[in-house]
Amino acid sequence: MKCRYLAFIAIYLIPLVGMWLYIQHAYFNIASLAHNSSINVLDYGAAGDGVTDDSKAFAATFAAAVKFGAPVIIPKRTYLINQPLDIKSGMLIRSDGALLKHTDSSIAILVAAASDEWTIQGPLILEGVRSEKNKLGTDIGLSVSGCARYTVDRVTAKNFNGSGIKIFPGKSTKVARGRGDHGQFAFISFIDNAIGLNIEAATEAEYNLFTL
């Protein structure tokens, strides 16, 4: 009986344990690599041709960045984004002159809600649908609500029927009260928007804004 038990361990259990250890080792190596490197939107399926909707590719890239703690890299191309992209706490988004545009006049391209210590490093261009023939809609380039200690650097917002950048307290003013402080905006440009920068008074926010 004891011999059969030992044989079972040798034949089945030891290989299974070894396989489990190998998988764990491989996983931690991949996680460590992702943590120490950047995550490129092109590697997650973004076309960057200005025609293909890259919303899902960007969403997958953002999710991976949050999971592995890695910065998001957006190469210099034109990306069509027709679903809002959520910025989570701690995210670092780096653009090399990319343009994010959309064709939906009711959405915000980038949305940060109750997220802290995130950063956007440009140059980055956000483009809406506003034109001489189309001045209807509520689209927004960057929407910020109830956030704290974040940085937006070298971003241009243009052609939005709503606001280029909108900062507001969110659904609950009580929850947002006292938050939104220390948001730093450096070298921000607004071009042909219905409203360039829209800050609602209830945010009780302090901002440093330098507009080119």
Side-chain angles (χ1 to χ4, degrees), residues 29 37 52 58 62 73-74 78 94 149 160 170 173 175 178-179 200:
N29 279 344
S37 62
T52 305
F58 269 70
F62 280 28
I73 301 299
I74 309 176
T78 298
R94 290 176 175 163
R149 301 179 304 279
F160 288 97
T173 303
V175 173
R179 296 177 59 79
E200 294 188 2

Side-chain angles (χ1 to χ4, degrees), residues 41 46-59 61-62 74 77-86 98-111 124-129 139-141 160:
V41 295
D49 57 11
V51 178
T52 305
D53 188 349
D54 288 325
S55 301
K56 291 184 178 179
F58 269 70
T61 307
F62 280 28
I74 309 176
R77 295 191 183 187
T78 298
Y79 304 88
L80 178 63
I81 305 294
N82 273 336
Q83 295 179 19
L85 301 174
D86 293 325
L99 186 152
L100 306 186
K101 69 174 187 176
H102 69 112
T103 58
D104 186 337
S105 60
S106 65
I107 71 166
I109 295 179
L110 293 172
V111 177
L124 173 66
I125 301 172
L126 304 174
E127 183 175 6
V129 297
D139 57 331
I140 299 171
F160 288 97

